[in-house]
Amino acid sequence: MKILSVFGTRPEAIKMAPVLRALAAEPGVDSRVCVTGQHRQMIAPLLDFFGVAPDADLGLMRPGQSLNGLVSGALWALDEVLEALRPDRVLVHGDTSTAMAAALAAFHRRIPVGHVEAGLRTYDSGHPFPEEMNRRIVDLASDLMFAPTARSAANLAAEALEGRVLVTGNTVIDTLHWATARLDADHALRAKVDAGLPRISPGHRLVLVTGHRRENFGDGMANICAALLGLSRMDRTQIVYPVHLNPNVQGPVTEALAGQPNIHLIPPQDYVAFLRLMQRADVILTDSGGVQEEAPALGKPVLVMRDTTERPEALASGAVSLVGTDAERILSATLGHLERLDLGGRGPAPVSPYGDGRAAARIVDAVVGREVIPFAPSAPPTLRAA
Ligand code: UD1
Ligand code: UDP
């Protein structure tokens, strides 16, 4: 059975890696990997760390290209790959334009599509944009939908889609378990990773920041930067911000924050280095989806700089709250968390609503036709930060 996995962006690489490792270990499966080349600089070290070697790289990245430019280029390029490889199934991940284009290209050729991380919804096509529309289109085109949670499976059931829905857990938790185990077992790796990270003075609190959503470009980014400037002026507080390579993020963030005391702007980090930063953080500020899934398992408080989230389980876990992009609100919510810690409070208890580390095994079971025992979020927490 020939399986073609297609992806191009950082979150897809992190979340498809365990599936690719499980497919490679499966007798009778010929697993091929096609990357679009969009986040090549950001995903090359990730793929290397996970031991994944792409079979094809479509080289689709063009500076400043429109979503229509990207999607049309992807459809043409993927059609050629499908013609050459003739896979029995295509696997895509999540909600990117890559996933949408690959699902559509496979559908047009009547090749079955499996959707990893199916069923996430805000039911607001402007938030996140264009991801909410992308993931709905992918689910329409899929005959196998791998829903991470019962909640995402319920969304799909309510939409009465044609494909089969399986609750697998989110593969990001497989990745988190795997990378945590590697860090725990390999002291030299941990020392090397730590040596590459900014030094945080003893007694200082670490606020970790990421942000790159399209709907936050412009005013949203300006507000976030204003909040971070305010925060950097507080006693014993240091901010570490790995800045996404998108010029719409790099430009305003560098202009507002470069050279400011207590703010460390650093390049996007390898997965293990970012995991180490999450482990060490006192509070995480983000608009990322993946971080909302990882942080509850690590027992870290997360403030999400968005107005909506498709991850209600993270909110219910108590680790994650929505703060939007108002500068005052971000600042006061962060200070509230830091004050609680100063008063001897602990972070949220680690919980794992998103998986038990066996999502990839369930996905491969379904792909090859074995019975799948669904994920139920009862596994004991194991990942309290070192
Ligand atoms: C990506 C997806 C988008 C998806 C979104 C959220 C693509 C091309 N974009 O957009 O469909 O909705 O994630 O899931 O699939 N850059 C580099 N090097 C890198 C990465 C980015 O130089 O490794 C720069 C380039 O100038 C590029 C720009 O960043 O033009 C934007 O990258 P893009 O992938 O469009 O941005 P995302 O917001 O991550
Ligand atoms: N991440 C990383 N390096 C960084 C910042 C984030 O490896 O410098 C990881 C993070 O742990 C999470 C994923 O990237 O697993 C999130 O990716 P991103 O924010 O690009 O996308 P989203 O999850 O919002 O789709």
Side-chain angles (χ1 to χ4, degrees):
M1 183 189 291
K2 193 186 284 179
I3 310 289
L4 176 66
S5 302
V6 182
F7 56 93
T9 64
R10 174 173 68 189
E12 294 170 310
I14 291 169
K15 292 174 167 183
M16 282 304 285
V19 178
L20 298 175
R21 294 172 66 84
L23 284 172
E26 181 68 32
V29 167
D30 176 4
S31 170
R32 306 292 180 95
V33 178
C34 173
V35 295
T36 55
Q38 287 146 4
H39 286 182
R40 193 184 285 148
Q41 291 150 275
M42 292 203 295
I43 74 171
L46 292 170
L47 295 181
D48 203 37
F49 176 68
F50 294 121
V52 172
D55 299 286
D57 182 332
L58 304 182
L60 289 177
M61 176 59 97
R62 304 280 177 276
Q65 74 184 333
S66 68
L67 288 171
N68 284 331
L70 166 72
V71 171
S72 52
L75 281 172
W76 278 111
L78 285 163
D79 201 47
E80 282 178 21
V81 172
L82 295 176
E83 171 68 25
L85 284 182
R86 300 189 171 266
D88 300 296
R89 168 172 297 285
V90 166
L91 289 181
V92 300
H93 179 276
D95 54 20
T96 62
S97 304
T98 306
M100 191 269 282
L104 194 58
F107 173 75
H108 285 154
R109 283 187 171 264
R110 296 187 180 276
I111 299 169
V113 176
H115 186 195
V116 180
E117 198 180 81
L120 275 64
R121 297 288 187 270
T122 58
Y123 293 108
D124 172 352
S125 54
H127 295 90
F129 174 87
E131 290 87 352
E132 176 70 12
M133 185 61 77
N134 285 341
R135 58 194 170 209
R136 288 202 231 174
I137 293 169
V138 177
D139 284 327
L140 277 171
S142 298
D143 73 319
L144 286 179
M145 291 173 269
F146 305 113
T149 65
R151 189 82 172 250
S152 41
N155 290 339
L156 295 165
E159 291 170 25
L161 300 174
E162 280 177 54
R164 190 172 154 225
V165 179
L166 298 125
V167 181
T168 59
N170 197 308
T171 54
V172 81
I173 303 298
D174 300 28
T175 305
L176 190 62
H177 282 226
W178 189 74
T180 306
R182 289 238 355 225
L183 269 178
D184 286 349
D186 189 341
H187 295 282
L189 174 67
R190 203 161 68 223
K192 188 170 155 228
V193 169
D194 284 346
L197 295 175
R199 283 181 64 82
I200 303 300
S201 318
H204 280 58
R205 286 90 51 100
L206 169 56
V207 179
L208 177 62
V209 183
T210 76
H212 69 97
R213 296 246 83 81
R214 274 167 199 262
E215 60 273 24
N216 282 346
F217 291 172
D219 289 348
M221 289 306 304
N223 290 343
I224 291 169
C225 290
L228 296 180
L229 260 187
L231 200 53
S232 71
R233 294 185 179 135
M234 299 295 153
D235 281 346
R236 296 182 300 104
T237 303
Q238 301 212 356
I239 294 164
V240 177
Y241 185 169
V243 187
H244 195 280
L245 294 175
N246 192 322
N248 294 304
V249 181
Q250 283 276 334
V253 170
T254 311
E255 194 178 320
L257 303 179
Q260 292 292 335
N262 301 320
I263 300 186
H264 304 271
L265 299 183
I266 59 176
Q269 298 293 296
D270 294 358
Y271 188 74
V272 262
F274 190 72
L275 170 57
R276 203 67 190 126
L277 283 169
M278 287 195 289
Q279 289 178 337
R280 286 166 50 180
D282 293 297
V283 180
I284 303 174
L285 301 183
T286 190
D287 62 11
S288 152
V291 175
Q292 293 177 57
E293 295 154 347
E294 294 159 331
L298 293 166
K300 295 293 171 178
V302 174
L303 301 177
V304 178
M305 300 181 292
R306 292 172 49 182
D307 296 322
T308 55
T309 181
E310 56 289 84
R311 290 165 169 92
E313 305 87 352
L315 295 180
S317 79
V320 172
S321 44
L322 287 179
V323 291
T325 52
D326 177 73
E328 281 300 318
R329 191 160 166 221
I330 296 171
L331 185 59
S332 65
T334 312
L335 291 177
H337 273 290
L338 293 177
E339 275 158 22
R340 271 194 290 285
L341 293 177
D342 282 349
L343 293 170
R346 282 172 64 80
V351 286
S352 211
Y354 287 107
D356 56 5
R358 295 201 298 274
R362 292 188 182 94
I363 289 166
V364 174
D365 282 346
V367 164
V368 302
R370 284 192 292 264
E371 191 197 346
V372 177
I373 299 162
F375 162 64
S378 57
T382 51
L383 294 170
R384 166 66 80 176

